[in-house]
Amino acid sequence: MESKKQLEYIDKCSRIVRDRAGFLGRPLTFYVETFGCQMNERDSEKLRGILEKAGFEKNDSEESDLVLYNTCTVRENANTRVYGRLGKLKDLKKRNPEMIIGLCGCMMQEAHVVEKITMSYRFVDMIFGTHNVYMLAELLYNVLTERKMTVDIRREATEIVEDLPMDRTYSFKSGVNIMFGCDNFCSYCIVPYVRGRERSRKPEEILKEIRSLAGDGVKEVMLLGQNVNSYGKKEEGGVTFAQLLREVCRVEGIERIRFMTSHPKDLSDELIRAIAEEPKVCNHLHLPLQSGSSRILKAMNRRYDKEKYLELVSKIKSACPDLSLTTDIIVGFPGETEEDFQETLDVVRKCGFDSAFTFIYSRRSGTPAAEMEQLDESVVKERFDRLLALVQSTASERCGRFAGRIQNVLVESVNRQDGSLVTGRTENNLVVHFPGGEELIGQIVPVRMEECKGFYYYGIKAE
Ligand code: 5AD
Ligand code: SF4
């Protein structure tokens, strides 16, 4: 079995790491940096788990014996950042020639990126992609024993490898992959090319993982997939996402369930009912709009129009009146006119999003939209600013509705600026700071929402 093979490689690496640490008289350290989304965050937990098991010690700076960047390529600026940072790593490696530099993640699934790195960044030791994160120990073993650049990129995943070590960022909350990849091919998006076709994990594997997380003290899980609403659709006699969600609610110890991301085209009534009926499912839905113009939505290949989106939102809001609705919006898609943009503003006004991630369209080579005629940058920037102003005023107005109410807050950390406060999140995903100590971390505490600061609150613990 693949996981057994990988555990053997972890063991082989750990022997080399131990010898080397003995020789140096200090432990070998590693640093993993994650760019991009929650999927990558979750993959990084796997990468860190493998490295720790292989005997490396976690470090919080790039002055480490092994540095790994888990990259993103959804927008061009993510790529630019990685190239910039690589320059810095080159200098560090000059000072420590034994240093191992690895690159993985979405950006590595693009042929032109790998070509550029193997040609012009020869100091990189290891390159792998999104489909073989589980192979880190095997690739590392190769680097440790042969000291030559190891490149292993797969076009498609062959299997879902379960049961490898994991180093979770938080003790009390965790992401859980329920599916990988995407089949939607929105015309601007590179994800289907770098993350491959949609594959769902088996419900029993997901539930097993969540039960074990609950056993470790995890209270909140976030079910992760590019398009969770199509969970299980390719499987024969498959469990639907709503059914899976209800099953997860039955896991004892799990008190909150979130999920990301929903595609409006297949958000079912069954799911809306589950959100409304199941108390553990958080009062928050992230539903990417992308554009309010039906014409642009068609060009984006989103398979819903403005009316369908508005109808969906009104259905959700009447079923779950207290729900927080968040979204993603792209400005400046090829061919977007001022009229199209006005349609987007109109949807934002009508839906009253609690928050919205706004993006300037970024041309991704290989996607259909990259071949379309692109807009003038200054026009796009000006629209972006107008959208941002509207989104921010709507969001702060929505945030205000909680003033004076008592909300359950899962405490995440001691406040970085003021050590007498702790910081946590409500079910609606609002950040709240309130007086309290470290002992509250990981607990769900009732808090009176005292002062709204636009996007977050100051509160006081309620008895
Ligand atoms: N340009 C700008 N934004 C994009 N997104 C995806 N691809 C692009 C692109 N090429 C945004 C979408 C998606 C979010 C994760 O990133 O809004 O929902
Ligand atoms: Fe990209 Fe569309 Fe898939 Fe989301 S649903 S990852 S935007 S192709």
Side-chain angles (χ1 to χ4, degrees):
M1 224 171 73
E2 187 60 38
S3 57
K4 184 156 171 277
K5 177 173 155 204
Q6 293 306 322
L7 289 169
E8 281 164 15
Y9 272 112
I10 292 177
D11 205 43
K12 285 192 201 172
C13 287
S14 77
R15 271 178 248 147
I16 301 174
V17 169
R18 202 187 315 130
D19 287 351
R20 177 110 192 98
F23 175 74
L24 293 172
R26 61 165 180 86
L28 295 190
T29 55
F30 78 89
Y31 174 78
V32 174
E33 181 149 336
T34 316
F35 298 80
C37 67
Q38 269 115 342
M39 292 281 182
N40 269 17
E41 293 285 350
R42 187 65 178 152
D43 282 346
S44 289
E45 294 187 335
K46 297 176 188 169
L47 296 166
R48 293 200 306 263
I50 293 173
L51 292 174
E52 281 177 357
K53 198 92 184 169
F56 285 90
E57 209 168 82
K58 191 159 60 180
N59 193 6
D60 54 11
S61 106
E62 286 168 321
E63 286 183 42
S64 297
D65 298 297
L66 189 158
V67 173
L68 192 54
Y69 285 167
N70 189 5
T71 63
C72 166
T73 187
V74 76
R75 285 170 291 275
E76 184 60 32
N77 53 8
N79 295 41
T80 317
R81 260 171 66 211
V82 168
Y83 287 123
R85 297 282 294 276
L86 276 175
K88 226 177 87 191
L89 284 187
K90 187 178 184 182
D91 294 339
L92 283 176
K93 190 158 179 167
K94 273 196 196 125
R95 278 188 267 149
N96 176 10
E98 294 287 308
M99 182 180 180
I100 295 172
I101 298 175
L103 298 174
C104 64
C106 295
M107 202 176 143
M108 301 305 128
Q109 292 292 141
E110 292 181 277
H112 66 91
V113 171
V114 175
E115 197 178 316
K116 178 163 169 177
I117 290 168
T118 50
M119 297 286 282
S120 319
Y121 295 79
R122 296 292 311 163
F123 57 92
V124 171
D125 301 281
M126 186 167 54
I127 302 176
F128 56 105
T130 54
H131 300 303
N132 53 350
V133 162
Y134 66 88
M135 280 178 67
L136 170 61
E138 183 175 344
L139 304 175
L140 182 62
Y141 180 74
N142 203 40
V143 172
L144 288 169
T145 51
E146 307 209 2
R147 293 260 48 162
K148 64 169 198 243
M149 199 194 245
T150 299
V151 182
D152 192 328
I153 309 286
R154 311 278 161 107
R155 289 199 64 77
E156 277 293 329
T158 41
E159 56 185 320
I160 299 176
V161 181
E162 305 277 355
D163 296 328
L164 284 177
M166 192 89 81
D167 170 50
R168 286 192 285 107
T169 310
Y170 299 97
S171 60
F172 48 86
K173 67 169 186 179
S174 178
V176 174
N177 297 110
I178 64 164
M179 56 202 302
F180 302 92
C182 182
D183 284 353
N184 290 320
F185 291 93
C186 300
S187 62
Y188 50 82
C189 187
I190 200 159
V191 169
Y193 306 90
V194 297
R195 288 244 169 211
R197 295 292 63 70
E198 221 165 83
R199 302 170 302 285
S200 295
R201 276 178 82 195
K202 293 195 173 66
E204 47 293 4
E205 291 288 354
I206 297 168
L207 290 164
K208 187 173 114 192
E209 179 177 347
I210 295 176
R211 280 189 208 107
S212 133
L213 289 169
D216 285 349
V218 166
K219 294 197 172 130
E220 179 179 301
V221 288
M222 162 92 86
L223 309 180
L224 297 173
Q226 300 297 343
N227 177 15
V228 293
N229 299 337
S230 63
Y231 174 80
K233 282 199 178 158
K234 280 182 169 180
E235 266 51 57
E236 228 171 277
V239 166
T240 64
F241 178 60
Q243 285 166 337
L244 177 74
L245 196 58
R246 288 194 192 259
E247 287 291 321
V248 177
C249 292
R250 307 282 86 77
V251 177
E252 216 172 300
I254 298 297
E255 295 182 37
R256 282 181 169 185
I257 302 155
R258 303 185 183 278
F259 54 88
M260 250 205 176
T261 292
S262 288
H263 194 304
K265 83 176 161 58
D266 31 35
L267 186 105
S268 64
D269 289 350
E270 190 199 8
L271 179 61
I272 297 176
R273 268 198 306 279
I275 303 171
E277 289 169 10
E278 293 287 353
K280 289 185 183 179
V281 176
C282 287
N283 244 331
H284 172 212
L285 181 67
H286 186 67
L287 194 64
L289 166 69
Q290 313 301 8
S291 169
S293 150
S294 296
R295 198 178 70 81
I296 294 295
L297 285 168
K298 192 161 182 8
M300 285 178 163
N301 191 30
R302 290 289 288 176
R303 285 170 278 179
Y304 56 85
D305 58 14
K306 179 185 180 186
E307 283 63 41
K308 165 94 194 290
Y309 189 92
L310 289 173
E311 199 185 296
L312 206 51
V313 167
S314 84
K315 202 151 59 169
I316 296 158
K317 289 202 165 182
S318 59
C320 319
D322 212 15
L323 185 103
S324 284
L325 188 68
T326 60
T327 199
D328 293 340
I329 301 169
I330 298 175
V331 180
F333 182 85
E336 183 190 77
T337 62
E338 177 60 26
E339 288 69 43
D340 293 315
F341 178 65
Q342 288 298 333
E343 299 277 6
T344 299
L345 296 180
D346 186 45
V347 176
V348 171
R349 281 190 209 101
K350 289 191 167 123
C351 293
F353 295 112
D354 290 81
S355 116
F357 297 101
T358 49
F359 305 108
I360 286 185
Y361 165 76
S362 171
R363 184 182 197 168
R364 308 313 291 126
S365 64
T367 62
E371 309 302 318
M372 303 174 189
E373 198 174 319
Q374 312 287 305
L375 293 189
D376 186 75
E377 231 175 87
S378 61
V379 174
V380 178
K381 182 77 186 62
E382 186 270 334
R383 283 183 196 159
F384 181 81
D385 292 342
R386 274 190 284 158
L387 174 67
L388 195 63
L390 176 64
V391 157
Q392 287 179 344
S393 78
T394 319
S396 87
E397 199 181 301
R398 289 286 294 165
C399 185
R401 78 188 196 276
F402 292 100
R405 286 168 62 181
I406 292 174
Q407 299 281 292
N408 286 329
V409 174
L410 173 59
V411 181
E412 300 196 343
S413 59
V414 170
N415 189 292
R416 257 190 251 146
Q417 272 96 47
D418 179 347
S420 71
L421 301 177
V422 288
T423 299
R425 277 171 198 275
T426 68
E427 218 190 286
N428 291 59
N429 214 26
L430 263 184
V431 170
V432 188
H433 309 290
F434 67 97
E438 206 179 4
E439 71 286 353
L440 293 178
I441 294 176
Q443 291 194 37
I444 295 177
V445 183
V447 173
R448 183 182 302 280
M449 312 281 275
E450 293 281 321
E451 193 187 347
C452 177
K453 287 290 195 182
F455 306 102
Y456 62 93
Y457 268 88
Y458 284 111
I460 288 183
K461 197 165 166 234
E463 289 318 321

